[in-house]
Amino acid sequence: IYYQIAYTSFEKGTGVASFDKVLSDRTRGTLDRVRQALARGPTLFAEEALLTTWTQSVNVASGTAASVDIVPGPAVIREFTVTLHADTLPRAVDRMSLLRNVLVKIYWDSAPEASVAVPLGDLFGSVWQQRRFSSAYFGSTNDTLILRFPMPFKSVATVRFENQSDLPFVADIGARLRALPAWSNERGYFHANWTKSLPTDVGKPHRIVGAQGRGRYVGCILSVASMDQSWWLLEGDETIHVDNDKTPSWHGTGLEDYFNG
């Protein structure tokens, strides 16, 4: 038996109020607003009236690639969607195949290297098969995959689809954008990568990300298949090393704690 305690240190003399089971009118009002926002659905944003919609269709044959440009900037992509044409792939197993075998790359402002390079399903939180769900940053409804991380760009966002499957990839690409009055170099670009460990890598740590430069780690999706059909894989500790520290700045107590499940 162990106890896991998360804490925050404050400066000496800082007052900290204890939790009161009897909620104040202000706190109850805040919870009500959150509840109402969740009931409306995460596709609605506070800046709803400021958003514009961009759409384009793609048809990428097997073994080929196609790119689309989202313009103009400066702007922030608040919602990015890919709607598969299910009529072109009536078999569910074929649609599942596209999720892993279509690679999505995103280049911000004509950069030579892709800032995003992730299989289609993994990028949208539907790994191995499409899962219909809704959350703050990921979602899937009917045949539409949804990504809601704020993604700012200065002039153009280029999205490239590389079809590595034996099937055609036909989809409608959509984005909801909020225009920016001006561009600031203090804005960060959205990055996402994908890594994989094989059964032959047993006993070795699975590296999720290794990055250099200024930035913020937002989070990860980890999809695991247990080789012995047990839940012991959740006992693997997660560690985060920041700025080449010798001991991890974060050393957790297992994946079930890290993912709160």
Side-chain angles (χ1 to χ4, degrees), residues 166-222:
D166 297 328
L167 305 163
F169 172 64
V170 184
D172 296 325
I173 314 304
R176 304 185 71 195
L177 304 98
R178 177 171 59 86
L180 296 173
W183 177 257
S184 170
N185 289 329
E186 291 301 311
R187 290 186 176 274
Y189 287 114
F190 176 75
H191 289 72
N193 76 306
W194 182 82
T195 59
K196 180 179 181 179
S197 291
L198 301 173
T200 53
D201 298 319
V202 63
K204 301 177 183 178
H206 172 70
R207 189 179 191 186
I208 292 175
V209 65
Q212 294 181 341
R214 292 181 59 198
R216 296 176 182 232
Y217 170 68
V218 178
C220 68
I221 291 177
L222 182 64

Side-chain angles (χ1 to χ4, degrees), residues 122-149:
D122 298 75
L123 180 62
F124 289 89
S126 286
V127 182
W128 295 322
Q129 63 181 342
Q130 187 176 357
R131 303 186 181 278
R132 286 163 176 80
F133 69 101
S134 183
S135 68
Y137 296 110
F138 302 95
S140 174
T141 174
N142 296 326
D143 297 309
T144 300
L145 303 167
I146 306 168
L147 186 68
R148 300 191 184 94
F149 283 101

